Amino acid sequence: MTGSPDDSMQREGVVLAGLRKSYGPVEAVRGIDVTISPGETVALLGPNGAGKSTTIDMMLGLARPDAGKVTVFGLSPAEAVGSGKVGGMLQTGSLLEYLSVRELVEVVASLYPNPLIVGDVLEATGAQGFAAQRTTNLSGGQTQRVRFALALVANPDLLVLDEPTAALDVEARRDFWSAMRSIAKLGKTVVFATHYLEEADAYADRIVLMARGRIIADGPATEIKAKVGGRTIRATLPGASLDALDALVGVTSTERRGEAVVLTCTDSDTALRALLAAYPAARDIEVLGAGLEEAFLRLVGEDNAEVPYR
Amino acid sequence: MSYATYLRCEVVRTFRNRRFFVFSLAFPLIIYFAIAGANRHATVEEVGLPLYLMTGMVAFGAMIAVISSGARIATERQLGWTRQLRITPLRTSTYFAAKVLSGYLMALVTIVLMYVAGSTLGVRLDARQWAIMTLLLIVGLVPFTLLGILAGHLLKPDSLGPAVGGVTTLFALLSGAWGPLSQGRYFVDVVKCVPSYWLVQSGRVVAFGGGWPPAEAWIVIAVWGVALARLAVVVYRRDTARV
């Protein structure tokens, strides 16, 4: 590829500039800017209603932005899709009827300029065992494997996956990510949406954190994890002053709920030791991983009044 | 990258759909044998009933075949499959071409089977007559193909069965596919504006020795064709823009 005429285009990757999209009165995406370099694996992380699917739809040319622009390797989404540079797995969708799994994957492969070998893809996605079955006789997990196979067989430069593991059991999830790892090694650009922090952290080079149609953080996975991966300590502790609790090492905020206090922590281990040292009477202690939702609410507190979408 | 695989898949899927097969093929055949088989020597409008009814049923069956093919788009939309296809390099024109092709292939099977059925009941035409009749049917089916594509974008899969059944029945009745039409003056004028009337006439003008259909027939088919094509484009655009 070096020195080919579209080399500079290739270097551009995926550019989302000033994107906005509303559905009726609901602003799904409210002005986002992201540049993704070729070869990067990027997670769009966010709770339901963050605007991840809408962003992905615009990236794939399925939805037209109200404002802003998308380019994929220097092309419009429609051109990129039309030239077979893009493969995608949408969040919802069933398989075409009256075909076997193998036939369906073969048909989709035939639409692309450089498809992978169908047998290899069936093997990699764990669909080999039921390749001869009709698409209508599959379990939810099997269907999801086939949908993944359809995206992979395209052998695209950009692979876009919208919550790919949402319907998968643990084993299928593991197979999925091991297949994804080998894809990423081939130098493909991968963008996937998820609402699991662990997934984003484990498989993405970079996390774009979205909430309520905006990007609230964008950076290396470790950095984002530190930002949203906090824990809370809950303990029954009548009479303790919140200010004093707030001063404990590793605690970022405190709240009283009746007899109990809730401490939000960046480092719950240290905070717990400090708490027990200072207040030996604390009881009913619980340490909880703060849900993503909670972390998001904290990060986007100023937008609380607005209605989330999807 | 070639579209041969996609076209083949579309045809294979059509022929694997048993319900579709039964309605498009068996239904006209059963009616045909039930009526014409029992009255082989009867005549209608000075023509033998087997020939008369064959020309009607061949139009009816072929009409169901091409309408159903396009109407199946409704199912693919509901499955989310059309969205999946929109993120592949498949062109919209190829997508529709495949629907048209599979509909026409299905229609041709129906046509041939009806010809065979007619022959078993004593229908005899020369090769030229069979060929012209087939050619006229192919042209006459164009508006119905477009109607199917339109229905595929307007209807939900649940309502497809009744809608396609009802519309084809109405078209068949108005065209005289199942028997002679009332000869009321205004009624005939109206009926001549219905495309299925001329679809049925594809067979009748030829088989009854009349040669080619009148200019009126070509105009009616062309006007319906253009109008339905326009509508199908509007509906398709609306459907894809909403996402």
Side-chain angles (χ1 to χ4, degrees):
Chain A
M1 283 306 263
T2 339
S4 72
D6 62 352
D7 210 36
S8 63
M9 299 284 195
Q10 289 287 345
R11 243 178 280 131
E12 222 178 76
V14 181
V15 181
L16 314 180
L19 280 192
R20 289 179 166 277
K21 178 76 182 176
S22 297
Y23 291 98
V26 183
E27 288 179 280
V29 170
R30 305 190 289 167
I32 63 170
D33 295 273
V34 184
T35 302
I36 297 167
S37 311
E40 249 188 322
T41 298
V42 175
L44 292 181
L45 177 66
N48 293 335
K52 305 186 299 287
S53 289
T54 306
T55 303
I56 279 180
D57 283 355
M58 288 190 279
M59 211 183 282
L60 293 170
L62 288 173
R64 199 184 316 228
D66 297 336
K69 201 179 163 198
V70 182
T71 56
V72 178
F73 305 123
L75 305 169
S76 74
E79 289 165 340
V81 165
S83 60
K85 290 182 193 297
V86 183
M89 181 170 166
L90 302 171
Q91 198 178 348
T92 54
S94 310
L95 304 171
L96 198 58
E97 305 162 300
Y98 303 111
L99 289 175
S100 72
V101 167
R102 176 181 287 277
E103 285 171 325
L104 182 66
V105 179
E106 278 170 354
V107 167
V108 171
S110 79
L111 303 174
Y112 285 89
N114 310 300
L116 297 177
I117 295 164
V118 170
D120 293 353
V121 172
L122 292 173
E123 190 78 56
T125 54
Q128 190 69 272
F130 51 89
Q133 278 181 43
R134 286 285 174 89
T135 54
T136 31
N137 303 332
L138 304 177
S139 71
Q142 289 174 325
T143 302
Q144 201 72 350
R145 284 171 193 256
V146 176
R147 295 180 63 229
F148 180 43
L150 297 179
L152 272 195
V153 80
N155 191 20
D157 298 334
L158 169 66
L159 192 56
V160 182
L161 311 146
D162 194 355
E163 306 214 0
T165 58
L168 294 183
D169 57 29
V170 178
E171 191 197 352
R173 200 167 283 210
R174 201 175 53 223
D175 288 357
F176 173 86
W177 287 114
S178 89
M180 280 304 297
R181 277 230 174 86
S182 45
I183 296 303
K185 274 196 207 118
L186 299 172
K188 306 284 184 195
T189 311
V190 179
V191 177
F192 69 91
T194 181
H195 51 245
Y196 301 115
L197 175 63
E198 307 75 50
E199 253 181 28
D201 177 45
Y203 303 104
D205 306 325
R206 176 177 153 202
I207 296 176
V208 173
L209 193 60
M210 291 186 73
R212 303 200 169 140
R214 291 214 176 90
I215 292 172
I216 49 175
D218 179 351
T222 44
E223 197 178 285
I224 304 297
K225 196 189 176 193
K227 236 176 191 161
V228 298
R231 292 173 198 262
T232 58
I233 298 173
R234 188 190 163 99
T236 305
L237 192 55
S241 117
L242 286 183
D243 286 343
L245 289 169
D246 218 6
L248 293 174
V249 186
V251 174
T252 52
S253 69
T254 53
E255 196 187 324
R256 177 170 295 287
R257 290 185 193 159
E259 298 241 297
V261 289
V262 179
L263 315 178
T264 306
C265 314
T266 45
D267 183 347
S268 56
D269 295 344
T270 309
L272 184 58
R273 285 191 189 97
L275 175 74
L276 287 172
Y279 302 94
R283 55 194 163 82
D284 302 333
I285 298 170
E286 289 177 295
V287 179
L288 298 168
L292 257 196
E293 300 279 345
E294 260 175 69
F296 284 117
L297 285 177
R298 218 168 56 232
L299 285 165
V300 296
E302 77 272 16
D303 293 340
N304 268 356
E306 293 179 46
V307 188
Y309 175 73
R310 259 211 293 195
Chain B
M1 178 167 52
S2 102
Y3 291 125
T5 311
Y6 183 76
L7 295 175
R8 196 176 59 228
C9 131
E10 194 63 29
V11 172
V12 164
R13 290 183 54 238
T14 308
F15 283 75
R16 280 184 189 165
N17 183 340
R18 265 186 232 114
R19 267 169 301 171
F20 183 21
F21 225 76
V22 166
F23 281 103
S24 173
L25 291 181
F27 198 40
L29 279 173
I30 290 167
I31 299 179
Y32 183 67
F33 280 114
I35 299 175
N39 305 283
R40 286 186 64 160
H41 303 291
T43 57
V44 186
E45 294 175 351
E46 294 160 28
V47 186
L49 181 65
L51 173 57
Y52 183 89
L53 202 59
M54 184 193 80
T55 56
M57 295 315 290
V58 80
F60 178 58
M63 183 165 70
I64 296 178
V66 294
I67 292 181
S68 309
S69 178
R72 283 184 308 150
I73 293 170
T75 315
E76 288 170 29
R77 282 169 62 231
Q78 197 189 43
L79 290 173
W81 185 252
T82 39
R83 241 165 95 79
Q84 180 71 38
L85 279 181
R86 280 176 61 208
I87 58 169
T88 72
L90 181 73
R91 283 196 301 259
T92 309
S93 54
T94 313
Y95 176 75
F96 287 125
K99 287 274 173 285
V100 171
L101 180 79
S102 61
Y104 264 99
L105 275 179
M106 196 69 200
L108 278 178
V109 173
T110 309
I111 290 169
V112 168
L113 280 179
M114 282 307 307
Y115 287 175
V116 171
S119 304
T120 63
L121 293 186
V123 171
R124 296 289 175 266
L125 295 173
D126 61 39
R128 192 174 157 277
Q129 284 174 308
W130 288 117
I132 292 176
M133 181 170 16
T134 310
L135 206 68
L136 289 176
L137 282 168
I138 288 169
V139 176
L141 284 171
V142 169
F144 298 98
T145 305
L146 294 163
L147 188 67
I149 291 174
L150 196 62
H153 285 97
L154 288 176
L155 301 177
K156 291 230 167 11
D158 285 349
S159 47
L160 271 189
V164 172
V167 166
T168 49
T169 304
L170 190 67
F171 271 134
L173 280 171
L174 285 179
S175 62
W178 295 338
L181 287 166
S182 144
Q183 290 303 307
R185 213 175 106 224
Y186 298 111
F187 182 71
V188 172
D189 287 346
V190 170
V191 153
K192 281 187 174 174
C193 297
V194 176
S196 57
Y197 176 83
W198 296 108
L199 190 65
V200 171
Q201 293 302 313
S202 301
R204 300 223 167 129
V205 288
V206 176
F208 302 172
W212 295 93
E216 202 184 346
W218 302 93
I219 293 167
V220 169
I221 294 294
V223 168
W224 277 86
V226 170
L228 288 169
R230 284 263 171 96
L231 265 177
V233 169
V234 169
V235 170
Y236 171 77
R237 292 232 171 98
R238 200 190 62 180
D239 195 55
T240 50
R242 195 169 37 201
V243 185

